[in-house]
Amino acid sequence: MQQEILQLEIDILNHAPCGLHALDGDGKFIYINQTELDWLGYEAHELVGVKGLYDLLTEESKNRFHQLFETFKREGKVSGISFDIINREGKIFPIQINSNANYDEAGNFISSLTYVVNLTEHTEKERSLKQKTKTLDAIFAIGQTILEERSLDSILQKVTDATTELTGAQFGAFFYNSVNEEGEIYQLFTLSGAPRAAFEKFGMPRNTAVFEHTFMGRGIVRVDDITKDPRYGKNAPHFGMPKGHLPVVSYLAVPVVAKSGTVIGGLFFGHPEPGVFTSEAEKMVEAIAWQAAIAIENAKLFEALKEANKKKDDFISIASHELKTPLTSISLYIQLLERTFKEMAGPGKAFQYLHKTKAFIKKLRSLIEDLLDVSRIQAGKLELRKEDFDLNPFIKETLEDIQNTNKSHTILIRGSTSCSVSADKFRIEQVMVNLVGNSIKYSPLAREILVEIKEENNFAIVAVTDYGIGINENEKSKIFDRYHREVNENRFSGLGLGLFISKVIIEMHEGKLWFTSSLGKGSSFYFSLPCINLKK
Ligand code: ADP
């Protein structure tokens, strides 16, 4: 019975989930359990009485062992000490030990009893967790940068660089799915880790057994050694990698597929060593490829929009130039007609009609001028011819001219400024004509427009107030936009350009243009211009 209990105890010790061993005063094994022997790959008789723990440690751990063992023998206890140990196959793994010492009656050290934790599993878990966090961070970071990016080239370069680095590939490339006369072919677009010349000369036929999978968007290909893959070396003319190709053993290829299912291209990675690409790397590239597809589609839409906008701007510029030429001739002939009628003395109604025609021509000219101004602004070619002048008389004269051609409303002028400005008279007049013109246009039931001139903090301020329809609350933020017109207002003609142009003009003078408005009551538009050499 006694014997059986003892055997049971030995069995328990031998198969405990942790390692157990005892060392003598020289550090040699007196006992070692089966669990620890299994980790180390030795038989008990190869270690007990033959080797010490010291013999199995790495150089770095050996350096620490002696001092720790001596201290332990004196103090009788150590806990949580880590060493790196080498097993029979030469594999290094980390252990953590907790030891208690046994002493004889005279207090001499006899042996240690140590229980050992194998940290490999723990470290493996920690490493994998760290790797996962790193991967997620990387996916998030690259996703963020590429989604903010508008240029296709930079998106592809950033994706290629990041994925090449994160997968540990020696080189990575994005091949764009483009079509040529001979059919579809993947063309090299971006490359990381190798010069462009290393790839460019080979082209990339899509129908080889290796590439087809990716090119058709069927899924990811990850192979530890592509040269041993059954699909490898099947196609003419090269039957494998062409001469001079970068050496690829580890191979990873991930298709980049748009939401519509179209294969935009593929990300390809290579390494001259086998087994480099892990399943984690594969998942990461898959996630990035998915984001890249969205970013690429956005960039394409953005480029198409830019292109369409440019075409529209070009069209407006050309159309307004084309419209202006016949208009100039019409103006000229009207003038001639007018003179002829005058000479004929008293042409009656014809004169009136001519007058009206002239007014329409003026309106047409101003519309065309607005369109041309927008083109100039878009091209950065709106120029100012600045001169120094007193603002007060200038505003008054401008208002008199406007009043002469507008009889529906009385323009009242209040206040004054002694401020001189350095400005383009033609352009400031254009702003005044636009603001007062709008005030008249958008207050069809009112009879008055009020213009106030004042001076504040070295700025001259001109305010144009009407008592008209006012501006809808949700339109307020948009009225300075190019081509913007209030959605529900078809009663009034216009192109929605006047305020846009006026704002640009005033800001080019370092002033500001703003407004206040109350729906159904009216609006006030203000502009400011910086004063120069104030006269007091
Ligand atoms: P438009 O040629 O349409 O008048 P603007 O750029 O001068 O173009 O004005 C843009 C829009 O702002 C107008 O369509 C109108 O809806 C609104 N708006 C401008 N001035 C006034 C005003 N004084 N009162 C009410 N609405 C105005």
Side-chain angles (χ1 to χ4, degrees):
M1 187 68 181
Q2 199 83 24
Q3 190 66 28
E4 280 164 3
I5 290 176
L6 190 65
Q7 188 53 46
L8 188 65
E9 278 176 6
I10 292 173
D11 279 355
I12 291 172
L13 289 181
N14 267 340
H15 299 103
C18 62
L20 286 169
H21 66 239
L23 303 180
D24 65 14
D26 298 328
K28 279 218 173 85
F29 289 105
I30 310 173
Y31 167 78
I32 179 160
N33 77 345
Q34 195 53 47
T35 310
E36 197 171 340
L37 284 169
D38 289 346
W39 296 340
L40 293 168
Y42 288 99
E43 300 284 331
H45 67 88
E46 293 175 287
L47 297 181
V48 175
V50 184
K51 286 192 182 197
L53 180 62
Y54 174 86
D55 301 312
L56 304 176
L57 298 180
T58 61
E59 280 309 308
E60 187 276 332
S61 294
K62 271 184 178 155
N63 291 339
R64 288 184 291 123
F65 180 82
H66 275 312
Q67 207 189 342
L68 278 163
F69 194 57
E70 290 312 312
T71 318
F72 162 70
K73 283 199 287 190
R74 275 198 314 277
E75 294 178 0
K77 198 176 170 70
V78 284
S79 55
I81 303 288
S82 299
F83 289 121
D84 284 336
I85 199 161
I86 311 171
N87 72 5
R88 185 176 217 137
E89 288 164 0
K91 195 176 158 224
I92 298 173
F93 62 95
I95 54 168
Q96 195 178 61
I97 62 165
N98 293 284
S99 299
N100 285 313
N102 294 315
Y103 300 96
D104 63 14
E105 275 162 19
N108 299 312
F109 178 89
I110 309 174
S111 64
S112 70
L113 182 64
T114 304
Y115 99 84
V116 186
V117 179
N118 184 342
L119 291 177
T120 315
E121 251 179 47
H122 178 72
T123 321
E124 195 51 44
K125 272 191 192 142
E126 202 174 18
R127 197 198 62 76
S128 140
L129 198 67
K130 265 193 192 148
Q131 181 61 36
K132 278 200 179 110
T133 315
K134 204 178 134 202
T135 307
L136 279 177
D137 282 352
I139 294 173
F140 183 71
I142 180 81
Q144 215 172 17
T145 37
I146 61 174
L147 288 175
E148 280 163 9
E149 193 57 72
R150 288 278 168 269
S151 132
L152 205 54
D153 291 6
S154 332
I155 290 172
L156 294 174
Q157 192 61 57
K158 278 183 181 159
V159 167
T160 316
D161 288 345
T163 46
T164 304
E165 197 195 319
L166 290 166
T167 52
Q170 193 171 73
F171 44 85
F174 176 85
F175 287 89
Y176 201 68
N177 192 9
S178 66
V179 184
N180 67 5
E181 279 120 42
E182 291 108 51
E184 280 172 303
I185 194 157
Y186 268 61
Q187 280 179 352
L188 177 63
F189 211 79
T190 48
L191 190 64
S192 195
R196 245 185 131 78
F199 270 99
E200 235 155 20
K201 50 183 187 272
F202 304 122
M204 233 186 155
R206 62 176 301 156
N207 50 0
T208 69
V210 171
F211 297 138
E212 191 187 53
H213 207 74
T214 314
F215 296 167
M216 297 299 174
R218 286 197 198 120
I220 297 170
V221 181
R222 179 167 65 90
V223 187
D224 283 345
D225 186 344
I226 192 68
T227 60
K228 296 202 178 109
D229 193 274
R231 289 165 286 195
Y232 181 78
K234 292 276 179 291
N235 295 82
H238 303 296
F239 297 99
M241 268 169 265
K243 249 202 163 105
H245 196 283
L246 288 168
V248 180
V249 177
S250 290
Y251 175 83
L252 174 65
V254 180
V256 178
V257 186
K259 230 163 85 189
S260 60
T262 318
V263 181
I264 303 171
L267 282 160
F268 295 83
F269 306 93
H271 198 284
E273 303 290 326
V276 169
F277 303 124
T278 59
S279 68
E280 267 160 22
E282 173 186 323
K283 279 193 205 117
M284 182 190 59
V285 179
E286 188 183 14
I288 295 178
W290 183 76
Q291 289 174 316
I294 299 172
I296 290 168
E297 297 225 300
N298 283 350
K300 277 189 183 162
L301 283 178
F302 183 71
E303 268 169 28
L305 194 70
K306 250 180 23 193
E307 184 58 31
N309 247 326
K310 193 182 169 302
K311 274 200 185 130
K312 185 193 68 194
D313 287 343
D314 289 351
F315 171 77
I316 288 172
S317 169
I318 294 165
S320 28
H321 272 108
E322 289 296 318
L323 288 169
K324 209 176 156 182
T325 321
L327 191 66
T328 313
S329 311
I330 295 172
S331 303
L332 211 77
Y333 282 112
I334 297 263
Q335 270 173 25
L336 285 175
L337 264 179
E338 202 175 24
R339 206 173 302 154
T340 319
F341 280 141
K342 257 189 199 153
E343 282 163 12
M344 283 162 59
K349 269 215 162 352
F351 221 176
Q352 257 182 42
Y353 296 152
L354 265 184
H355 219 70
K356 285 222 160 100
T357 314
K358 270 175 76 181
F360 283 122
I361 288 176
K362 196 174 160 202
K363 173 75 191 153
L364 197 56
R365 190 191 299 279
S366 109
L367 288 172
I368 294 171
E369 279 305 331
D370 276 358
L371 286 172
L372 280 171
D373 277 346
V374 172
S375 299
R376 289 182 190 117
I377 290 169
Q378 289 310 111
K381 283 186 183 151
L382 188 80
E383 278 168 18
L384 297 183
R385 293 204 184 87
K386 282 187 179 177
E387 56 187 295
D388 296 351
F389 59 91
D390 285 351
L391 193 64
N392 217 42
F394 174 76
I395 296 288
K396 286 189 172 153
E397 276 163 34
T398 308
L399 290 173
E400 276 163 24
D401 289 347
I402 301 174
Q403 182 71 85
N404 284 338
T405 48
N406 282 285
K407 300 295 174 203
S408 61
H409 291 65
T410 306
I411 304 171
L412 303 172
I413 309 172
R414 253 193 237 148
S416 69
T417 173
S418 54
C419 171
S420 291
V421 291
S422 169
D424 183 327
K425 279 186 167 173
F426 172 75
R427 293 295 178 187
I428 300 299
E429 184 180 339
Q430 185 180 353
V431 173
M432 285 301 296
V433 169
N434 178 249
L435 295 185
V436 178
N438 276 349
S439 294
I440 293 171
K441 182 161 69 170
Y442 296 110
S443 66
L445 303 177
R447 289 288 151 260
E448 277 176 2
I449 301 295
L450 174 64
V451 178
E452 287 170 287
I453 311 168
K454 57 184 173 180
E455 207 177 296
E456 252 174 44
N457 304 327
N458 271 5
F459 277 88
I461 296 173
V462 179
V464 181
T465 299
D466 66 61
Y467 309 97
I469 62 167
I471 299 168
N472 216 312
E473 213 41 54
N474 46 23
E475 292 289 314
K476 282 185 173 171
S477 60
K478 301 178 217 152
I479 66 161
F480 292 113
D481 291 352
R482 198 161 49 126
Y483 311 120
H484 179 77
R485 310 214 60 239
E486 189 167 340
V487 208
N488 302 320
E489 281 303 349
N490 297 326
R491 296 181 276 166
F492 309 102
S493 70
L495 295 176
L497 292 176
L499 287 180
F500 167 73
I501 297 169
S502 299
K503 194 163 193 302
V504 173
I505 292 174
I506 293 300
E507 285 172 359
M508 281 174 79
H509 283 86
E510 267 117 52
K512 278 198 182 121
L513 177 61
W514 71 102
F515 70 96
T516 54
S517 183
S518 171
L519 195 62
K521 290 192 176 146
S523 314
S524 293
F525 281 80
Y526 306 81
F527 72 85
S528 64
L529 289 173
C531 297
I532 53 164
N533 55 34
L534 276 179
K535 296 179 283 178
K536 280 279 163 207

